[in-house]
Amino acid sequence: MASHASNLAQGFLLQFPQNLVLFAAILCSLAYVYLFGGPLGKIPGPFTAALSRLWMIFHSWNGDMHRTMINLHKKHGKLVRTGPNEVSVSDLSAIRTIYGEITWMLGAASKDVLNVNVGAGTKFTKSDWYSVWQGHRKFDLFAERNEKVHGSQRRLVSRIYSMDSLKDLEKYVDDAILHFLSKMGHMGGQSVDMGLWVQLFAFDVIGEVTFSKRFGFMDAGEDDGSFRQIEGALRSGAWLGQVPSLYWLHDFLMPILGNHFGINARHGRLREFALQEIESRKSRGSDHQDILDKLFTMQKEKPMELNDIGVLSMATSNIFAGSDTTAISMRSVIYYLLKNPKCMKELINELDSRRKEAKLSIPVTLEESKHLPYLQACLYEGLRCHPAVGMSLPRVTPSGGIKIDGHYIPEGVSLSPSMNPNLTPGYRPW
């Protein structure tokens, strides 16, 4: 018996290399069928992206996703496989289906401009990428993945953030504009970092319309460290969203290990900053109705639906998202105008012409700006050329799947609509 077992062992050892090769071949074949033989197998893209999430993590970490995806779509077309179970989409019709309603605005220059107005009711739910941004927050319009909860939260605040409501705050924005112009006037002849100054301005505007008080960043000529926290949170959330399990493991161990991820500033330091401003605003009051006052009014009407945590979440979102996206958009418009002197000259001519006709105020009002077609063209084109959000916001394919550009994409696949400037028509002033 012992001799028989010994012979079997010797035989196995002699055949071990062949068995190992056979096992590896079977494993590779199964992996190939899974990765390249399924519904996503024929969708082109980087080979390494199909193997694991590391490709997405790498580019999200590097912050070059916006350029990378534009180049990949130029090479491969409307669909690019960016993960084992993820596809980037650069097809306008499909994007409208994925995100829901998107309205088209016909501009004064008689060219279509895409005004992204994502409607409710889409069956493509947010992916787990959003869970990192939400954390433990119960009220979060951006990251809430439950469509019923999101719809309920959205209805609570939609009137507050409507254009009709925001028009009431225009004169307070004008005050910040005049302060900005005054600061620029005192720096005549100096080299000015406009990228920094438009963010200082944007942050102070958010303070004015939300808390009835500028944060004083323009007065100081610098921020209080908030910009670094926002930047850290954005960079951290971008790559951690590709591996939410890592974020939640860190969250579980954080009481022991401490915090090592910048995204937690959105749930921590920036939230504390917003809370301090809310308490300060309550103490000093205001002579007009700002966004916070409108939130308080809604809270009184529906205290069970919009509690203190909900008000705090909205105030935090104003600071975190409002200031940064506003600054990015302003930088884009200024940058492209400076890069295209002819366009700058034409814009100045339009403004001078209207001013000579006594049709412009200082600052220009919202209503007056609607009758400045070339200004509108420059604004929309700046937004098109450099969207404030450089990464796509992934959604999950619902039951029944979807067919895009001749490819069937089954249920459960993460679809990432591409933020590609070349995808949408525009005014093309430059």
Side-chain angles (χ1 to χ4, degrees), residues 207 210-215 271-287 290 292 296 312 315 319:
T210 306
F211 306 105
S212 294
K213 186 198 76 171
R214 293 195 297 267
F215 293 125
R271 198 172 176 85
E272 291 167 5
F273 177 83
L275 180 59
Q276 291 171 4
E277 291 299 327
I278 290 174
E279 295 303 319
S280 176
R281 165 66 176 76
K282 285 180 178 178
S283 298
R284 69 175 183 274
S286 176
D287 61 356
D290 53 24
L292 196 59
F296 287 152
L312 175 58
I319 295 171

Side-chain angles (χ1 to χ4, degrees), residues 234-411:
L234 290 170
R235 292 182 65 89
S236 174
W239 74 267
L240 276 172
Q242 312 304 333
V243 276
S245 57
L246 179 59
Y247 169 81
W248 290 108
L249 176 62
H250 173 269
D251 181 76
F252 177 76
L253 297 174
M254 198 157 53
I256 302 171
L257 302 178
N259 177 40
H260 297 279
F261 290 153
I263 184 60
N264 285 315
R266 184 173 190 258
H267 317 308
R269 289 187 294 272
L270 292 171
R271 198 172 176 85
E272 291 167 5
F273 177 83
L275 180 59
Q276 291 171 4
E277 291 299 327
I278 290 174
E279 295 303 319
S280 176
R281 165 66 176 76
K282 285 180 178 178
S283 298
R284 69 175 183 274
S286 176
D287 61 356
H288 64 275
Q289 194 178 44
D290 53 24
I291 290 177
L292 196 59
D293 190 65
K294 294 180 180 185
L295 288 169
F296 287 152
T297 301
M298 179 58 68
Q299 185 181 23
K300 288 178 183 178
E301 293 177 9
K302 299 183 178 181
M304 300 302 293
E305 298 177 54
L306 184 64
N307 57 20
D308 288 343
I309 299 300
V311 171
L312 175 58
S313 290
M314 292 308 302
T316 305
S317 294
N318 280 14
I319 295 171
F320 180 83
S323 63
D324 201 55
T325 52
T326 301
I328 291 169
S329 299
M330 291 179 65
R331 288 173 187 147
S332 177
V333 174
I334 293 170
Y335 171 80
Y336 282 105
L337 282 171
L338 292 174
K339 290 282 288 183
N340 296 272
K342 289 182 179 179
C343 298
M344 174 75 86
K345 184 177 180 180
E346 186 165 348
L347 176 60
I348 292 173
N349 288 340
E350 179 181 68
L351 297 173
D352 286 344
S353 174
R354 292 303 175 92
R355 186 161 285 121
K356 288 176 182 177
E357 297 170 3
K359 293 182 178 180
L360 286 186
S361 308
I362 299 178
V364 176
T365 67
L366 175 63
E367 187 59 33
E368 290 168 347
S369 73
K370 293 178 182 178
H371 303 286
L372 296 169
Y374 199 78
L375 171 64
Q376 293 293 324
C378 292
L379 294 176
Y380 277 118
E381 188 67 355
L383 293 170
R384 185 190 71 84
C385 290
H386 192 94
V389 179
M391 291 189 65
S392 57
L393 305 174
R395 298 296 183 104
V396 179
T397 311
S399 175
I402 184 175
K403 194 168 186 179
I404 304 174
D405 195 33
H407 294 274
Y408 171 72
I409 299 175
E411 174 184 356

Side-chain angles (χ1 to χ4, degrees), residues 16-89:
F16 180 74
Q18 295 93 320
N19 291 335
L20 183 62
V21 170
L22 179 61
F23 176 76
I26 294 173
L27 189 64
C28 288
S29 298
L30 291 174
Y32 182 85
V33 170
Y34 171 74
L35 293 171
F36 304 107
L40 306 185
K42 294 182 180 180
I43 297 176
F47 176 79
T48 52
L51 300 177
S52 76
R53 301 291 300 166
L54 289 175
W55 186 89
M56 286 288 287
I57 293 170
F58 174 78
H59 287 286
S60 299
W61 177 283
N62 282 348
D64 63 359
M65 186 63 76
H66 55 302
R67 296 189 183 93
T68 300
M69 293 315 305
I70 289 173
N71 292 333
L72 284 173
H73 279 293
K74 282 182 181 178
K75 179 180 179 181
H76 296 297
K78 295 180 179 180
L79 297 179
V80 175
R81 188 176 184 181
T82 56
N85 197 47
E86 183 161 342
V87 175
S88 177
V89 180

Side-chain angles (χ1 to χ4, degrees), residues 97-351:
T97 301
I98 294 166
Y99 279 151
E101 177 191 355
I102 300 180
T103 60
W104 287 82
M105 296 178 61
L106 188 63
S110 298
K111 292 185 179 180
D112 289 326
V113 176
L114 183 65
N115 175 32
V116 180
N117 177 24
V118 181
T122 175
K123 295 180 180 179
F124 293 76
T125 57
K126 296 173 182 176
S127 76
D128 58 359
W129 180 86
Y130 287 86
S131 68
V132 170
W133 297 89
Q134 183 169 14
H136 295 283
R137 296 164 70 163
K138 300 299 182 183
F139 196 107
D140 194 317
L141 276 180
F142 170 69
E144 178 58 57
R145 297 168 64 200
N146 184 302
E147 288 297 322
K148 289 185 178 179
V149 174
H150 177 267
S152 175
Q153 293 177 354
R154 182 182 179 185
R155 285 190 292 275
L156 278 173
V157 300
S158 60
R159 190 174 63 194
I160 297 171
Y161 288 89
S162 69
M163 182 55 72
D164 287 339
S165 177
L166 294 178
K167 282 179 182 178
D168 298 338
L169 301 169
E170 183 177 2
K171 58 184 177 180
Y172 306 107
V173 176
D174 288 347
D175 290 342
I177 292 173
L178 291 172
H179 194 61
F180 174 78
L181 293 175
S182 174
K183 287 292 181 181
M184 292 295 101
H186 285 99
M187 291 188 285
Q190 301 178 33
S191 177
V192 177
D193 183 349
M194 287 300 293
L196 170 64
W197 271 93
V198 294
Q199 187 157 13
L200 297 174
F201 163 76
F203 218 91
D204 273 359
V205 167
I206 294 297
E208 186 70 68
V209 301
T210 306
F211 306 105
S212 294
K213 186 198 76 171
R214 293 195 297 267
F215 293 125
F217 288 4
M218 286 192 288
D219 289 325
E222 60 183 5
D223 72 304
D224 63 352
S226 296
F227 294 175
R228 180 176 55 81
Q229 291 178 15
I230 292 174
E231 175 71 14
L234 290 170
R235 292 182 65 89
S236 174
W239 74 267
L240 276 172
Q242 312 304 333
V243 276
S245 57
L246 179 59
Y247 169 81
W248 290 108
L249 176 62
H250 173 269
D251 181 76
F252 177 76
L253 297 174
M254 198 157 53
I256 302 171
L257 302 178
N259 177 40
H260 297 279
F261 290 153
I263 184 60
N264 285 315
R266 184 173 190 258
H267 317 308
R269 289 187 294 272
L270 292 171
R271 198 172 176 85
E272 291 167 5
F273 177 83
L275 180 59
Q276 291 171 4
E277 291 299 327
I278 290 174
E279 295 303 319
S280 176
R281 165 66 176 76
K282 285 180 178 178
S283 298
R284 69 175 183 274
S286 176
D287 61 356
H288 64 275
Q289 194 178 44
D290 53 24
I291 290 177
L292 196 59
D293 190 65
K294 294 180 180 185
L295 288 169
F296 287 152
T297 301
M298 179 58 68
Q299 185 181 23
K300 288 178 183 178
E301 293 177 9
K302 299 183 178 181
M304 300 302 293
E305 298 177 54
L306 184 64
N307 57 20
D308 288 343
I309 299 300
V311 171
L312 175 58
S313 290
M314 292 308 302
T316 305
S317 294
N318 280 14
I319 295 171
F320 180 83
S323 63
D324 201 55
T325 52
T326 301
I328 291 169
S329 299
M330 291 179 65
R331 288 173 187 147
S332 177
V333 174
I334 293 170
Y335 171 80
Y336 282 105
L337 282 171
L338 292 174
K339 290 282 288 183
N340 296 272
K342 289 182 179 179
C343 298
M344 174 75 86
K345 184 177 180 180
E346 186 165 348
L347 176 60
I348 292 173
N349 288 340
E350 179 181 68
L351 297 173

